[in-house]
Amino acid sequence: MADQQFETPAFRELRDNPPIKEGVMDHSQPYVAKPEHNEPLGFPGELVENWEEKAVAKLGDLLEKNKALRVYLDSCVKCGACTDKCHYFIGTGDPKNMPVARQDLLRSVYRRHFTTAGKLFPKLVGAKEMNKEMLDDWYKYFHQCSQCRRCAVFCPYGIDTAEISMAARDIMDHIGVGTKYSNEIIAKVHVIGNNLGLPQPALVNTMEGLEEDVEEETGVQVKFPVDQEGADVLLITPSADFFAEPHVDGLIGYGKVFHQAGINWTVSSYASEAANFAMFIGSYEQMHKIANRIRKAALDLGVKRIIFGECGHAWRVAYAFLNTLAGPWDFLDPKYPRPQHILEVTNELIKTGGITLDASANDDKVLTFHDSCNVARATRMGDVEGGQFTIPREVIKASVNKFVDMDPQTICEKTFCCGGGGGLLTDDLIELRVKGALPRMEALKDVVDNHGVTHMAAICAICKSQFSKVMPYYGFDMDMVVSVHQLVSEAIQLGTKE
Amino acid sequence: MAAYNVNGNDIEHDEEGYITDVSQWNMDLAQIIADAEGLDMTDEHWAVVNFLREYYNEYQIAPAVRVLVKAIKKQFGPEKGSNKYLYELFPYGPAKQACKVAGLPKPTGCV
């Protein structure tokens, strides 16, 4: 990747708006999917004939099915509240990364074809044709949106740019213009069961290796079962947890928690993936297909309970959509009628004495916490409003003695995206990813300098990989990012309970 | 499609430089890819590459970073058995850059 030359943005003294740099990210776009990536998903292999008309027709179709989309396209009053809220705008200064400008790429085509004023007086109302120039802009700038929805928090009308970006990507896929990164991965899930392409024997080998490691380290035989029929719990976790650092340390933590709580669990090699990249490309059909692997695995293994590991958008899919996508879940234990998040489970066990933690095991660290966008703005944990913010922090504080939150403008519902979400965690977008991480890196720098923070915990596989990759660009050590269950793993007391 | 030229033979690679047919790999090719990546191949680099290939032959996937770290630790001692050391060898990441040199497909997903 030596050919990718760019400058890492400097930390801003005051958190003011970046100088406008027109067109500065005009070159940034992900690799286009090839026919072998598109066709298994039922999309045309390459750009179809009459794609202009077909794109407009697909937009019409989406407007029928998704009333919210029409409201979002109709209701913007150009107040400007969103303009400086996007991490990609802050990091790049490209005005097309202002959320309103991004929305306008789709809105202008909508106006031209679906509003009376736009049909009669296109120039007066900013209505534009769907042409090659427009398609190029769509491909570039709808892939500079991580669908994190921070802008929507500040929009007085609640316009959700993520929905608009999903719609645009869905339209592009339907005319044969998708991204290699997402479409290759989705096709892999359909065949192998996970994003990584990890086949069953390799999964078993990996999990056996973890059993050996944990026993060597602790003297305790903690099981990491695969395809165990009759287990009570099916763990659905991102496949990065089987592969990458620091993700795997989190997986070790889940295993220790289950062990100590006496919970009989398993992962499934058929549904060995929590992630559902179909959400990123706005495809309901693909999302449905991926989610149904979880249902099939749960039924085949005869589990009574489903628990999701640390994955941001997976929890959105699980929390908000899983019942419609793959329900009803009436075969689950009535005490746990919906899929749970591992943090809900661990937090409950801490509170009820089901597990005991010794926070001094992490006394070499001072922690802060990065709220993942999808968890923060699209889900909840527990049964109290804001549980998605308090529960992860409660678990961290039970595992470590020193915890400091970052600037309130950058956490909880106002959290910044890591810079790699929404299907953008690919090497061909590294410049965008580095620049988009700027606001999070600034907030981290503040707590490092002023409060001696040594580590930042995250609960999303994308966040963890993204930070490991981009933090060195900002002078931070890649090991600073940790899994929340990695902290639990260090602090948990294994063995006989007193 | 673009290709590496190895001793007069073209070996195709994708837009990121990963070869498209795993079976076409050889050590001369690995050296050419390493040169293009700006890597100075040492015994430790080759050990990583060889381990990746052995693991891939058995499991049709690259090993987890943790598994790779363990293997290198066993061969070269505890001071080299860390993720950090692997990053020193392959600055663009042991999973991706080392796979490229070893002729394996790029690991995909949230990694």
Coordinates of all heavy atoms in Angstrom, one line a residue, chain A residues 340-422:
Chain A
Q340 N -29.8 -11.8 23.4 CA -29.2 -10.9 24.4 C -27.8 -10.4 24.0 O -27.2 -11.1 23.2 CB -29.0 -11.6 25.8 CG -30.3 -11.9 26.5 CD -30.0 -12.7 27.7 OE1 -29.7 -13.8 27.7 NE2 -30.1 -12.0 28.9
H341 N -27.3 -9.3 24.5 CA -26.0 -8.9 24.3 C -25.1 -9.5 25.4 O -25.5 -9.6 26.6 CB -25.9 -7.4 24.3 CG -24.6 -6.8 23.7 ND1 -23.4 -6.9 24.4 CD2 -24.4 -6.2 22.5 CE1 -22.5 -6.4 23.6 NE2 -23.0 -6.0 22.5
I342 N -23.9 -9.9 25.1 CA -23.0 -10.5 26.1 C -22.8 -9.5 27.2 O -22.6 -10.0 28.4 CB -21.6 -10.9 25.4 CG1 -20.7 -11.6 26.4 CG2 -20.9 -9.7 24.8 CD1 -21.1 -13.0 26.7
L343 N -22.8 -8.2 27.0 CA -22.6 -7.3 28.1 C -23.8 -7.3 29.1 O -23.6 -7.1 30.3 CB -22.4 -5.9 27.5 CG -21.0 -5.6 27.1 CD1 -21.0 -4.4 26.2 CD2 -20.0 -5.4 28.2
E344 N -25.0 -7.5 28.5 CA -26.2 -7.7 29.4 C -26.0 -8.9 30.3 O -26.3 -8.8 31.5 CB -27.4 -7.9 28.6 CG -27.8 -6.6 27.8 CD -29.0 -6.9 26.9 OE1 -29.1 -8.0 26.2 OE2 -29.9 -6.0 26.8
V345 N -25.5 -10.0 29.7 CA -25.3 -11.2 30.5 C -24.2 -11.0 31.5 O -24.4 -11.3 32.7 CB -24.9 -12.3 29.5 CG1 -24.6 -13.6 30.3 CG2 -26.0 -12.5 28.5
T346 N -23.1 -10.5 31.1 CA -22.0 -10.3 32.1 C -22.3 -9.4 33.2 O -22.1 -9.6 34.4 CB -20.7 -9.8 31.3 OG1 -20.4 -10.8 30.3 CG2 -19.5 -9.6 32.2
N347 N -23.0 -8.3 32.8 CA -23.4 -7.3 33.9 C -24.3 -7.9 34.9 O -24.1 -7.7 36.1 CB -24.0 -6.1 33.2 CG -24.1 -4.9 34.1 OD1 -23.1 -4.6 34.8 ND2 -25.2 -4.2 34.1
E348 N -25.3 -8.7 34.4 CA -26.2 -9.3 35.3 C -25.5 -10.3 36.3 O -25.7 -10.3 37.5 CB -27.2 -10.1 34.5 CG -28.4 -10.7 35.2 CD -29.3 -9.6 35.8 OE1 -29.3 -8.4 35.3 OE2 -30.0 -9.9 36.8
L349 N -24.5 -11.0 35.7 CA -23.8 -12.0 36.5 C -22.9 -11.3 37.6 O -22.7 -11.8 38.7 CB -22.9 -12.8 35.6 CG -23.6 -13.9 34.8 CD1 -22.7 -14.5 33.7 CD2 -24.1 -15.0 35.7
I350 N -22.4 -10.1 37.2 CA -21.6 -9.4 38.2 C -22.5 -8.9 39.3 O -22.1 -9.1 40.5 CB -20.9 -8.1 37.5 CG1 -19.9 -8.5 36.4 CG2 -20.3 -7.2 38.5 CD1 -19.4 -7.4 35.5
K351 N -23.7 -8.4 39.0 CA -24.6 -7.9 40.0 C -25.1 -8.9 40.9 O -25.4 -8.7 42.1 CB -25.7 -7.2 39.3 CG -25.3 -5.9 38.5 CD -26.3 -4.8 38.7 CE -25.6 -3.5 38.4 NZ -26.1 -2.9 37.2
T352 N -25.3 -10.1 40.4 CA -26.0 -11.2 41.2 C -24.9 -12.1 41.8 O -25.3 -13.1 42.4 CB -26.9 -12.1 40.3 OG1 -26.1 -12.6 39.2 CG2 -28.1 -11.2 39.8
G353 N -23.6 -11.8 41.6 CA -22.6 -12.7 42.2 C -22.4 -13.9 41.4 O -21.7 -14.8 41.9
G354 N -22.9 -14.0 40.2 CA -22.6 -15.2 39.4 C -21.2 -15.3 39.0 O -20.7 -16.4 38.7
I355 N -20.5 -14.2 38.9 CA -19.1 -14.2 38.6 C -18.4 -13.1 39.6 O -19.1 -12.2 40.0 CB -18.7 -13.8 37.2 CG1 -19.2 -12.5 36.7 CG2 -19.1 -14.9 36.2 CD1 -18.7 -12.0 35.4
T356 N -17.2 -13.3 39.9 CA -16.5 -12.3 40.8 C -15.3 -11.8 40.0 O -14.5 -12.5 39.4 CB -16.0 -13.0 42.0 OG1 -17.1 -13.8 42.6 CG2 -15.5 -12.0 43.0
L357 N -15.2 -10.4 40.1 CA -14.0 -9.8 39.4 C -13.1 -9.1 40.4 O -13.5 -8.6 41.4 CB -14.6 -8.7 38.4 CG -15.6 -9.2 37.3 CD1 -16.0 -8.0 36.5 CD2 -15.0 -10.2 36.4
D358 N -11.8 -9.2 40.1 CA -10.8 -8.5 40.9 C -10.2 -7.4 40.0 O -9.4 -7.7 39.2 CB -9.8 -9.5 41.4 CG -8.6 -8.7 42.1 OD1 -8.8 -7.5 42.4 OD2 -7.6 -9.4 42.3
A359 N -10.8 -6.2 40.2 CA -10.4 -5.1 39.3 C -8.9 -4.7 39.4 O -8.3 -4.1 38.5 CB -11.2 -3.8 39.6
S360 N -8.2 -5.1 40.5 CA -6.8 -4.8 40.6 C -6.0 -5.5 39.6 O -4.8 -5.1 39.3 CB -6.3 -5.1 42.0 OG -6.3 -6.5 42.2
A361 N -6.5 -6.6 38.9 CA -5.8 -7.2 37.9 C -5.5 -6.3 36.7 O -4.6 -6.5 35.9 CB -6.6 -8.4 37.4
N362 N -6.3 -5.2 36.6 CA -6.1 -4.3 35.5 C -5.5 -2.9 36.0 O -5.7 -1.9 35.4 CB -7.4 -4.0 34.8 CG -7.8 -5.2 33.9 OD1 -7.0 -5.6 33.1 ND2 -9.0 -5.7 34.0
D363 N -4.8 -3.0 37.2 CA -4.3 -1.7 37.8 C -3.2 -1.1 36.9 O -2.8 0.0 37.2 CB -3.8 -2.0 39.2 CG -5.0 -1.8 40.2 OD1 -6.1 -1.3 39.8 OD2 -4.8 -2.1 41.4
D364 N -2.7 -1.8 36.0 CA -1.7 -1.2 35.1 C -2.3 -0.4 34.0 O -1.6 0.2 33.1 CB -0.8 -2.3 34.4 CG -1.7 -3.4 33.7 OD1 -2.9 -3.6 34.0 OD2 -1.2 -4.0 32.7
K365 N -3.6 -0.3 34.0 CA -4.3 0.5 32.9 C -5.2 1.6 33.5 O -5.8 1.5 34.6 CB -5.2 -0.5 32.1 CG -4.5 -1.7 31.6 CD -5.5 -2.6 30.8 CE -4.8 -3.9 30.4 NZ -4.8 -4.9 31.5
V366 N -5.3 2.6 32.7 CA -6.4 3.6 32.9 C -7.3 3.6 31.6 O -6.8 3.8 30.5 CB -5.8 5.1 33.1 CG1 -6.9 6.1 33.3 CG2 -4.8 5.1 34.2
L367 N -8.5 3.3 31.8 CA -9.4 3.1 30.7 C -10.3 4.2 30.3 O -10.7 5.0 31.1 CB -10.3 1.9 31.0 CG -10.0 0.5 30.5 CD1 -10.0 0.5 28.9 CD2 -8.6 0.1 30.9
T368 N -10.6 4.3 29.0 CA -11.7 5.1 28.5 C -12.5 4.2 27.6 O -12.1 3.1 27.3 CB -11.3 6.4 27.8 OG1 -12.4 7.2 27.7 CG2 -10.6 6.2 26.4
F369 N -13.7 4.7 27.2 CA -14.6 3.8 26.4 C -15.1 4.5 25.2 O -15.5 5.7 25.2 CB -15.8 3.4 27.3 CG -16.8 2.5 26.5 CD1 -16.4 1.3 26.0 CD2 -18.1 2.9 26.4 CE1 -17.4 0.5 25.3 CE2 -19.0 2.2 25.7 CZ -18.7 0.9 25.2
H370 N -15.0 3.8 24.0 CA -15.5 4.3 22.8 C -16.9 3.7 22.5 O -17.0 2.5 22.3 CB -14.5 4.0 21.6 CG -15.1 4.2 20.3 ND1 -15.2 5.4 19.7 CD2 -15.6 3.3 19.4 CE1 -15.8 5.2 18.5 NE2 -16.0 4.0 18.3
D371 N -17.9 4.5 22.6 CA -19.2 4.0 22.2 C -19.3 3.8 20.7 O -19.0 4.6 19.9 CB -20.3 5.1 22.6 CG -20.5 5.3 24.1 OD1 -21.2 4.6 24.7 OD2 -19.8 6.3 24.6
S372 N -19.7 2.6 20.4 CA -19.8 2.2 18.9 C -21.1 2.8 18.4 O -22.2 2.8 19.1 CB -19.9 0.7 18.7 OG -18.6 0.2 19.1
C373 N -21.1 3.4 17.2 CA -22.2 4.2 16.7 C -23.5 3.4 16.6 O -24.5 3.9 17.0 CB -21.8 4.7 15.3 SG -21.3 3.5 14.1
N374 N -23.4 2.2 16.1 CA -24.7 1.4 15.9 C -25.3 1.0 17.3 O -26.5 1.0 17.4 CB -24.5 0.2 15.1 CG -24.7 0.5 13.6 OD1 -25.8 0.9 13.2 ND2 -23.6 0.3 12.8
V375 N -24.5 0.7 18.2 CA -25.0 0.4 19.6 C -25.6 1.6 20.2 O -26.6 1.6 20.8 CB -23.8 -0.2 20.5 CG1 -24.3 -0.4 21.9 CG2 -23.3 -1.5 19.9
A376 N -24.8 2.7 20.1 CA -25.2 4.0 20.8 C -26.5 4.5 20.2 O -27.4 5.0 21.0 CB -24.1 5.0 20.6
R377 N -26.7 4.6 18.9 CA -27.8 5.3 18.3 C -28.9 4.5 17.7 O -29.8 5.0 17.2 CB -27.2 6.3 17.2 CG -26.5 7.5 17.9 CD -26.1 8.5 16.8 NE -24.9 8.1 16.1 CZ -23.6 8.5 16.4 NH1 -23.4 9.3 17.4 NH2 -22.6 8.1 15.7
A378 N -28.7 3.2 17.8 CA -29.8 2.3 17.2 C -30.3 1.2 18.0 O -31.1 0.4 17.6 CB -29.2 1.8 15.8
T379 N -29.8 1.1 19.3 CA -30.2 0.0 20.1 C -30.3 0.4 21.5 O -30.1 1.6 21.9 CB -29.1 -1.1 20.1 OG1 -28.0 -0.7 20.8 CG2 -28.6 -1.4 18.7
R380 N -30.6 -0.6 22.4 CA -30.5 -0.4 23.8 C -30.0 -1.7 24.4 O -29.9 -2.7 23.7 CB -32.0 -0.2 24.3 CG -32.0 0.1 25.8 CD -33.5 0.4 26.2 NE -33.9 1.7 25.7 CZ -35.2 2.1 26.0 NH1 -36.0 1.4 26.7 NH2 -35.5 3.3 25.6
M381 N -29.5 -1.6 25.6 CA -29.2 -2.8 26.4 C -30.0 -2.7 27.7 O -30.2 -1.6 28.2 CB -27.7 -2.9 26.7 CG -26.8 -3.2 25.5 SD -25.1 -3.3 26.1 CE -24.3 -3.1 24.5
G382 N -30.3 -3.9 28.2 CA -31.1 -3.9 29.5 C -32.5 -3.4 29.3 O -32.9 -3.3 28.2
D383 N -33.1 -3.0 30.4 CA -34.5 -2.5 30.2 C -34.7 -1.1 30.7 O -35.8 -0.6 31.0 CB -35.5 -3.5 31.0 CG -35.0 -3.8 32.4 OD1 -34.1 -3.1 32.8 OD2 -35.5 -4.7 33.0
V384 N -33.6 -0.4 30.7 CA -33.6 1.0 31.1 C -33.1 1.9 30.0 O -32.2 1.5 29.3 CB -32.8 1.3 32.4 CG1 -32.9 2.7 32.9 CG2 -33.1 0.3 33.5
E385 N -33.8 3.0 29.8 CA -33.3 3.9 28.7 C -31.8 4.3 29.0 O -31.4 4.6 30.1 CB -34.2 5.2 28.7 CG -33.9 6.0 27.5 CD -34.8 7.3 27.4 OE1 -35.8 7.3 28.1 OE2 -34.4 8.2 26.7
G386 N -31.0 4.2 27.9 CA -29.6 4.6 28.0 C -28.8 3.4 28.5 O -27.6 3.5 28.8
G387 N -29.4 2.2 28.6 CA -28.7 1.0 29.1 C -27.5 0.7 28.2 O -26.5 0.2 28.7
Q388 N -27.6 1.1 26.9 CA -26.4 0.8 26.0 C -25.2 1.7 26.3 O -24.1 1.4 25.9 CB -26.9 1.0 24.5 CG -27.1 2.4 24.1 CD -28.4 3.0 24.3 OE1 -29.1 2.7 25.3 NE2 -28.9 3.8 23.4
F389 N -25.4 2.7 27.1 CA -24.3 3.5 27.6 C -23.8 3.1 29.0 O -22.6 3.0 29.2 CB -24.7 5.0 27.6 CG -25.3 5.5 26.4 CD1 -26.5 6.2 26.4 CD2 -24.7 5.3 25.1 CE1 -27.1 6.6 25.2 CE2 -25.3 5.7 24.0 CZ -26.5 6.4 24.0
T390 N -24.8 2.8 29.9 CA -24.4 2.5 31.3 C -23.9 1.1 31.4 O -22.9 0.9 32.2 CB -25.6 2.7 32.2 OG1 -26.7 1.9 31.7 CG2 -26.0 4.2 32.3
I391 N -24.5 0.1 30.7 CA -24.1 -1.3 30.9 C -22.6 -1.5 30.6 O -21.8 -2.1 31.4 CB -25.1 -2.2 30.3 CG1 -26.4 -2.2 31.1 CG2 -24.5 -3.7 30.2 CD1 -27.5 -3.1 30.5
P392 N -22.2 -1.1 29.4 CA -20.7 -1.3 29.1 C -19.8 -0.6 30.1 O -18.8 -1.2 30.5 CB -20.5 -0.7 27.7 CG -21.9 -0.6 27.1 CD -22.9 -0.5 28.2
R393 N -20.2 0.6 30.5 CA -19.4 1.3 31.5 C -19.4 0.6 32.9 O -18.4 0.6 33.6 CB -19.8 2.7 31.6 CG -19.4 3.6 30.4 CD -20.0 5.0 30.4 NE -19.5 5.8 29.4 CZ -19.8 5.7 28.1 NH1 -20.7 4.9 27.7 NH2 -19.2 6.5 27.2
E394 N -20.5 0.0 33.3 CA -20.6 -0.7 34.5 C -19.7 -1.9 34.5 O -19.0 -2.2 35.5 CB -22.0 -1.1 34.8 CG -22.9 0.0 35.4 CD -24.4 -0.4 35.5 OE1 -24.7 -1.6 35.5 OE2 -25.2 0.6 35.5
V395 N -19.7 -2.6 33.4 CA -18.8 -3.8 33.2 C -17.4 -3.4 33.3 O -16.5 -4.0 33.9 CB -19.2 -4.6 32.0 CG1 -18.1 -5.7 31.7 CG2 -20.6 -5.2 32.1
I396 N -17.0 -2.3 32.6 CA -15.6 -1.9 32.6 C -15.2 -1.5 34.0 O -14.2 -1.9 34.5 CB -15.4 -0.7 31.6 CG1 -15.6 -1.1 30.2 CG2 -14.0 -0.1 31.8 CD1 -15.7 0.0 29.2
K397 N -16.1 -0.7 34.7 CA -15.7 -0.2 36.0 C -15.6 -1.4 37.0 O -14.9 -1.2 38.0 CB -16.7 0.8 36.5 CG -16.5 2.2 35.7 CD -17.6 3.2 36.2 CE -17.5 4.4 35.4 NZ -18.7 5.3 35.6
A398 N -16.3 -2.5 36.8 CA -16.2 -3.6 37.7 C -14.9 -4.4 37.4 O -14.4 -5.1 38.2 CB -17.4 -4.5 37.5
S399 N -14.3 -4.1 36.2 CA -13.1 -4.9 35.8 C -11.8 -4.1 36.0 O -10.7 -4.6 36.0 CB -13.2 -5.2 34.3 OG -14.4 -5.9 34.0
V400 N -12.0 -2.7 36.1 CA -10.8 -1.9 36.2 C -11.1 -0.8 37.3 O -12.2 -0.4 37.5 CB -10.4 -1.2 34.9 CG1 -10.2 -2.1 33.8 CG2 -11.4 -0.1 34.5
N401 N -10.0 -0.4 37.9 CA -10.2 0.7 39.0 C -10.2 2.1 38.4 O -10.8 3.0 39.0 CB -9.2 0.5 40.1 CG -9.5 -0.7 41.0 OD1 -10.6 -0.9 41.4 ND2 -8.5 -1.5 41.3
K402 N -9.5 2.3 37.3 CA -9.4 3.6 36.8 C -10.0 3.8 35.5 O -9.6 3.2 34.5 CB -7.9 4.0 36.7 CG -7.2 4.1 38.1 CD -5.7 4.2 38.0 CE -5.1 2.8 38.1 NZ -3.6 2.8 38.1
F403 N -11.1 4.6 35.4 CA -11.9 4.8 34.2 C -12.2 6.3 34.1 O -12.5 7.0 35.0 CB -13.2 4.0 34.3 CG -14.1 4.3 33.1 CD1 -13.9 3.6 31.9 CD2 -15.1 5.3 33.1 CE1 -14.7 3.9 30.8 CE2 -15.9 5.6 32.0 CZ -15.7 4.9 30.8
V404 N -12.0 6.8 32.9 CA -12.3 8.2 32.6 C -13.0 8.3 31.3 O -12.6 7.7 30.3 CB -10.9 9.1 32.4 CG1 -11.3 10.5 32.2 CG2 -10.0 8.8 33.6
D405 N -14.1 9.1 31.2 CA -14.8 9.2 30.0 C -14.2 10.4 29.2 O -13.6 11.3 29.7 CB -16.3 9.6 30.2 CG -17.2 8.4 29.9 OD1 -16.9 7.7 28.9 OD2 -18.2 8.2 30.7
M406 N -14.4 10.3 27.9 CA -13.9 11.3 27.0 C -14.9 12.5 27.0 O -15.9 12.4 27.6 CB -13.7 10.8 25.6 CG -12.5 9.8 25.5 SD -12.2 9.1 23.8 CE -13.3 7.7 23.9
D407 N -14.5 13.6 26.2 CA -15.4 14.8 26.1 C -16.9 14.3 25.8 O -17.1 13.6 24.9 CB -14.9 15.6 24.9 CG -15.7 16.8 24.6 OD1 -16.8 17.0 25.2 OD2 -15.2 17.6 23.7
P408 N -17.8 14.9 26.7 CA -19.2 14.5 26.5 C -19.8 14.7 25.1 O -20.7 14.1 24.7 CB -19.9 15.4 27.5 CG -18.9 16.0 28.4 CD -17.5 15.8 27.8
Q409 N -19.2 15.6 24.4 CA -19.7 15.9 23.0 C -19.3 14.7 22.1 O -19.6 14.8 20.9 CB -19.1 17.2 22.5 CG -19.7 18.4 23.1 CD -21.2 18.5 23.0 OE1 -21.8 18.4 22.0 NE2 -21.8 18.7 24.2
T410 N -18.5 13.8 22.6 CA -18.0 12.7 21.7 C -18.3 11.3 22.2 O -17.8 10.4 21.7 CB -16.4 12.8 21.5 OG1 -15.8 12.4 22.8 CG2 -16.0 14.2 21.2
I411 N -19.2 11.3 23.2 CA -19.6 9.9 23.7 C -21.1 9.8 23.7 O -21.8 10.7 23.4 CB -19.0 9.7 25.1 CG1 -19.5 10.7 26.1 CG2 -17.5 9.7 25.1 CD1 -19.2 10.4 27.6
C412 N -21.5 8.6 24.2 CA -22.9 8.2 24.3 C -23.6 8.5 22.9 O -23.1 8.2 21.9 CB -23.6 8.9 25.5 SG -22.8 8.3 27.0
E413 N -24.8 9.2 23.0 CA -25.5 9.3 21.7 C -24.8 10.3 20.7 O -25.0 10.3 19.5 CB -27.0 9.8 21.9 CG -27.2 11.2 22.3 CD -27.1 11.4 23.8 OE1 -26.7 10.5 24.5 OE2 -27.4 12.5 24.3
K414 N -23.8 11.1 21.2 CA -23.1 11.9 20.3 C -21.7 11.3 19.9 O -20.8 12.0 19.5 CB -22.8 13.3 21.0 CG -24.1 14.1 21.2 CD -23.8 15.4 22.0 CE -25.1 16.1 22.3 NZ -24.8 17.1 23.3
T415 N -21.6 10.1 20.2 CA -20.3 9.4 19.9 C -19.9 9.6 18.4 O -20.7 9.7 17.5 CB -20.3 7.9 20.2 OG1 -18.9 7.4 20.1 CG2 -21.2 7.1 19.3
F416 N -18.6 9.7 18.2 CA -18.1 9.7 16.8 C -17.8 8.3 16.3 O -17.4 7.4 17.1 CB -16.8 10.5 16.7 CG -17.0 12.0 16.6 CD1 -16.8 12.8 17.7 CD2 -17.4 12.5 15.4 CE1 -17.0 14.2 17.5 CE2 -17.5 13.9 15.2 CZ -17.3 14.7 16.3
C417 N -18.0 8.1 15.0 CA -17.7 6.8 14.4 C -16.2 6.6 14.5 O -15.4 7.6 14.5 CB -18.1 6.8 13.0 SG -17.5 5.5 11.9
C418 N -15.7 5.4 14.6 CA -14.3 5.1 14.6 C -13.7 5.5 13.3 O -12.4 5.7 13.2 CB -14.1 3.6 14.8 SG -14.8 2.5 13.5
G419 N -14.5 5.6 12.2 CA -13.9 6.0 10.9 C -13.9 4.9 9.9 O -13.6 5.0 8.7
G420 N -14.3 3.7 10.4 CA -14.2 2.5 9.5 C -15.5 1.7 9.4 O -15.6 0.6 8.9
G421 N -16.6 2.3 9.9 CA -17.9 1.6 9.9 C -18.6 1.6 8.6 O -18.2 2.1 7.6
G422 N -19.8 0.9 8.6 CA -20.7 0.9 7.4 C -20.1 0.3 6.1 O -20.5 0.8 5.1

